[in-house]
Amino acid sequence: MSKNTKINLLLLLAVAALAVLPLALGLGDHKKEPFTGADGEAETAITEIEPDYEPWFSPLYEPPSGEIESALFSLQAALGSGFLAYYFGLRRGRRQGELRALERERDSGNPADGTAEESTAEGA
């Protein structure tokens, strides 16, 4: 097993543990909604500290339901991860292209050297 395969398996195991452990350990069982986002938690904390608090501004668009809000958030996450995957793939492809170009340059310079070695080996 190569070093990269081991690293990938460890990373996959870590991601799975981060997803499963909170559920398995019962974290958040004491809350009404255990896995709400940070926005909801902040709103609750602010209203507990100062009940008369008025926000400075309101959202430009308020989704009609929580499902649509979740769908928009998922779309945003998918677009962001797609952009990052494209960027890193492009960088890797360029790097591989540069390495192949260097190999071709090196190989195109070596045939003269290789033929000289072959001719001496044949003569001996």
Side-chain angles (χ1 to χ4, degrees):
M1 189 178 301
S2 72
K3 181 180 177 182
N4 285 339
T5 305
K6 289 178 184 178
I7 290 172
N8 287 338
L9 287 175
L10 285 173
L11 289 173
L12 185 62
L13 183 65
V15 168
L18 285 173
V20 172
L21 282 177
L23 298 172
L25 297 176
L27 299 176
D29 284 346
H30 63 282
K31 296 180 180 180
K32 181 180 174 185
E33 295 179 18
F35 299 107
T36 59
D39 294 342
E41 294 284 329
E43 184 178 344
T44 303
I46 289 170
T47 53
E48 286 177 3
I49 294 170
E50 188 166 333
D52 298 333
Y53 176 77
E54 298 237 357
W56 294 355
F57 57 90
S58 61
L60 297 175
Y61 172 70
E62 188 71 34
S65 70
E67 291 83 10
I68 294 175
E69 186 175 356
S70 288
L72 290 173
F73 182 74
S74 298
L75 177 64
Q76 177 185 2
L79 289 173
S81 61
F83 174 78
L84 287 174
Y86 173 78
Y87 174 74
F88 287 122
L90 183 68
R91 285 196 50 189
R92 182 176 180 172
R94 285 183 180 172
R95 188 176 65 232
Q96 286 178 346
E98 290 171 358
L99 290 174
R100 286 181 184 153
L102 288 173
E103 287 176 1
R104 278 190 222 120
E105 286 179 14
R106 189 186 68 214
D107 291 344
S108 66
N110 285 342
D113 297 337
T115 54
E117 289 175 9
E118 289 174 4
S119 62
T120 57
E122 291 173 359

